[in-house]
Amino acid sequence: MKQKSIAIVGAAETTELGKIPDMSQIALHADAALNAMADAGLKPSDIDGVATAGESPTETAHYLGITPKWVDGTSVGGCSFMLHVRHAAAAINEGLCSTVLITHAESGRSRVGARRFARSPQSLQGQFELPYGVTNPPTMFTIPVLRYMKEQGVTEEQLANVAVVQREWAAMNPRASFRDPITVDDVLNSRMIAYPFRLLMCCLVTDGGGALILTNADRAKDMPQKPVYILGTGESVETPMISQMEDFTSSKAFRVSGTQAFTEAGITHNDVDHLMIYDAFAHLPFYGLEDLGFCKPGEAADFIWERNTAPGGKLPLNTNGGGLSYMHSGMYGMYALQESVRQLRGSAPAQVDGAKISVSHGVGGMFGASGTIIFSNEAP
Amino acid sequence: MAEFKRPLPEPTPETEHFWEGCRSGELRLQSCDECSKSYFPPRPFCPACGSRNVTVKTASGKATLYSYVINHRPRPDFGDEPHSIAVVELAEGPRMMTNIVDCPQTPEALVLDMPLEVTFEKASDTVSLPKFKPAGA
């Protein structure tokens, strides 16, 4: 993709985050979309491309009164929105459409108008994983971690520390669900969910959503918000079955997606001012830091322990508090993208001074898929 | 409250040989006639090289403990006691999801790389699930 040819010109989350029992899932999509349109100074009639996951793009477009000439319903889990950004950028560059709306919303906690998620007992997962109790994220996403900890010499304290550091970022964010400081002992003494994972190592379950609007960079200059340009993108998938992940200490999808994005962006890791790594559970930042190349294999736990990713550190990570403390409605990738955009607009609650390049890395379907977007706020 | 239905596998034409093997106390894998790799889960071609020339064979049933969690959340089908959900590495190479049985469900008893052997648990008239227990237990 041509660097900086496309920009984010609208970005917003739902008006409320957390517990929103008086709104259905599709209404949350619309709330986020209308907020993003207001942010960009656009109306539904200005949108000619729609991408969404969780709901179908048909449903979202109809509900909002949009007649798109380009749609993308890629739904590979919580990183789907990174893939939408990548696909939308290509579509705009190809002239298939000019202004794309990407929405996410989920009534993850209140379950109002939420879609039911069911796997067929005839699917490979249904036959070869589900019968053993691999039925939800805490018993699936967590499976590789003991192998990772043994191979890399990582301790439970280091795993717990990921949640502690992210709570420090959340403390600076008035919209974060949890803001009170916690210690490693607090995490290790919280309720056991699926050994070695305690409650505070697992993401929140909340309601909410977010939306992005993309258009070409030339047009973006005349729009109300400071444009955030797309510098590089990547995507991949590996397997729907966690047991069939090739390497339990590293995600192949992360490596493929991250390498593509960095190559396309033409930057080195030292150029990155701000990083988001989708943290559904406390081990995800280890895999992300290593598979994206910020740390060598086995060094991420020490890197976080030494406060490199904490407030004041050299690589601010998950500065909204992350899925562990900010919010997690089910498909968190959208909120990682939102925080990258806020940081590069200079409007984040825990603003990284002078941030120019931000990397937003998502996971989907429990190490099944991945998407990476690298943003820049410097004009082409 | 709706009755909880235990999630049991429903075989497809491509996996029937595996579940038939389990019913008769046999763990079956497939291997490629071209590149000789063993693979799992079942499919009618080799995922390494794409060849359709594959053979069903009986596995040794020996494995080692590769990774696991111990679920502490109550599950209507598994009861309220903590239970392991594990990935084992078969002697033939492929890995598979299972539960470790005939063993305390504790980190002290479940040691990574410990030797295991297959055992079959009858879950219904038509389904037996391959599970693993400490070797020699």
Side-chain angles (χ1 to χ4, degrees):
Chain A
M1 201 194 81
K2 191 170 160 256
Q3 290 170 12
K4 300 186 182 178
S5 57
I6 304 297
I8 306 284
V9 294
E13 294 172 349
T14 45
T15 310
E16 304 291 330
L17 292 177
K19 199 171 177 183
I20 317 171
D22 57 346
M23 286 177 80
S24 70
Q25 188 157 300
I26 190 71
L28 290 169
H29 274 261
D31 182 43
L34 293 169
N35 286 344
M37 285 185 237
D39 184 65
L42 297 172
K43 304 182 297 296
S45 56
D46 299 318
I47 305 291
D48 63 357
V50 171
T52 193
E55 295 290 337
S56 79
T58 318
E59 205 140 355
T60 307
H62 171 257
Y63 197 68
L64 284 161
I66 294 169
T67 307
K69 54 185 186 183
W70 176 87
V71 294
D72 183 7
T74 301
S75 189
V76 291
C79 65
S80 298
F81 316 103
M82 280 81 175
L83 277 69
H84 294 157
V85 167
R86 188 169 202 245
H87 302 171
I92 296 167
N93 276 334
E94 185 62 20
L96 305 182
C97 55
S98 69
T99 312
V100 172
L101 169 72
I102 303 172
T103 68
H104 159 70
E106 202 158 334
S107 183
R109 181 183 177 93
S110 304
R111 310 296 302 165
V112 183
R115 296 209 163 187
R116 292 187 197 284
F117 178 68
R119 274 173 299 222
S120 161
Q122 293 188 330
S123 67
L124 290 179
Q125 263 185 300
Q127 291 187 64
F128 299 107
E129 290 197 337
L130 209 55
Y132 302 105
V134 186
T135 48
N136 50 31
T139 51
M140 180 170 174
F141 219 152
T142 51
I143 293 271
V145 84
L146 283 184
R147 174 54 57 181
Y148 176 93
M149 291 166 74
K150 176 169 178 172
E151 298 292 326
Q152 309 296 17
V154 169
T155 64
E156 291 182 38
E157 285 75 13
Q158 287 178 307
L159 188 61
N161 182 56
V162 173
V164 173
V165 171
Q166 289 197 196
R167 186 61 66 84
E168 291 183 37
W169 285 112
M172 292 185 259
N173 187 348
R175 267 165 72 90
S177 295
F178 290 134
R179 296 192 294 271
D180 294 339
I182 50 172
T183 65
V184 166
D185 282 346
D186 290 338
V187 179
L188 291 176
N189 290 327
S190 64
R191 181 160 53 89
M192 188 68 84
I193 300 295
Y195 171 82
F197 285 84
R198 280 77 167 179
L199 181 68
L200 293 177
M201 299 172 179
C202 306
C203 68
L204 308 164
V205 182
T206 56
D207 305 323
L212 294 169
I213 298 172
L214 284 72
T215 194
N216 72 62
D218 284 343
R219 196 170 152 227
K221 286 184 297 210
D222 303 322
M223 298 187 68
Q225 304 297 340
K226 178 178 181 173
V228 173
Y229 301 97
I230 296 165
L231 199 55
T233 63
E235 67 186 282
S236 191
V237 295
E238 184 177 356
T239 170
M241 301 173 75
I242 195 103
S243 63
Q244 301 307 310
M245 209 179 154
E246 193 175 272
D247 181 348
F248 276 29
T249 70
S250 168
S251 161
K252 186 163 74 174
F254 279 20
R255 297 195 308 272
V256 172
S257 176
T259 301
Q260 283 176 326
F262 273 85
T263 303
E264 212 172 273
I267 59 163
T268 69
H269 294 84
N270 285 333
D271 296 325
V272 175
D273 302 306
H274 171 251
L275 175 62
M276 297 298 291
I277 296 173
Y278 187 144
D279 57 324
F281 292 90
H283 59 315
L284 269 295
F286 296 163
Y287 287 75
L289 284 167
E290 293 173 10
D291 291 338
L292 292 176
F294 288 98
C295 294
K296 292 196 177 77
E299 291 185 354
D302 287 339
F303 188 75
I304 295 174
W305 192 268
E306 289 157 6
R307 301 191 57 78
N308 288 296
T309 64
K314 68 178 180 189
L315 184 61
L317 168 68
N318 293 344
T319 48
N320 58 357
L324 296 176
S325 285
Y326 180 55
M327 76 90 66
H328 191 293
S329 50
M331 298 170 92
Y332 171 85
M334 175 57 80
Y335 307 98
L337 292 165
Q338 295 285 339
E339 176 67 6
S340 283
V341 171
R342 281 192 295 264
Q343 288 287 349
L344 294 192
R345 284 180 173 181
S347 63
Q351 181 64 41
V352 176
D353 284 343
K356 292 186 175 68
I357 292 182
S358 174
V359 176
S360 219
H361 179 73
V363 65
M366 294 169 258
F367 284 129
S370 185
T372 313
I373 304 295
I374 303 180
F375 294 106
S376 164
N377 59 8
E378 293 189 308
Chain B
M1 194 177 119
E3 189 187 342
F4 186 89
K5 192 168 174 292
R6 182 167 181 180
L8 288 180
E10 289 178 15
T12 58
E14 299 80 21
T15 65
E16 179 55 40
H17 68 269
F18 178 87
W19 295 112
E20 185 190 280
C22 290
R23 281 195 296 274
S24 57
E26 213 173 75
L27 188 68
R28 292 178 184 169
L29 286 175
Q30 286 168 300
S31 69
C32 175
D33 299 342
E34 313 286 337
C35 73
S36 75
K37 283 214 171 66
S38 294
Y39 63 87
F40 180 84
R43 71 204 92 169
F45 58 91
C46 169
C49 76
S51 168
R52 293 174 191 259
N53 299 321
V54 297
T55 305
V56 174
K57 62 180 188 184
T58 303
S60 65
K62 295 187 193 313
T64 53
L65 181 55
Y66 196 67
S67 201
Y68 67 92
V69 296
I70 303 171
N71 180 39
H72 283 247
R73 302 209 302 181
R75 280 286 311 277
D77 51 337
F78 278 84
D80 292 339
E81 294 300 313
H83 64 94
S84 62
I85 303 172
V87 173
V88 298
E89 187 165 274
L90 303 175
E92 291 78 6
R95 296 184 194 127
M96 64 183 291
M97 192 70 77
T98 189
N99 303 120
I100 310 301
V101 297
D102 297 344
C103 166
Q105 304 291 291
T106 63
E108 293 72 28
L110 296 163
V111 179
L112 291 197
D113 301 313
M114 67 193 277
L116 303 165
E117 60 192 29
V118 73
T119 179
F120 294 92
E121 188 182 286
K122 193 173 155 89
S124 74
D125 288 343
T126 54
V127 174
S128 288
L129 293 173
K131 301 208 166 177
F132 284 79
K133 61 181 182 179

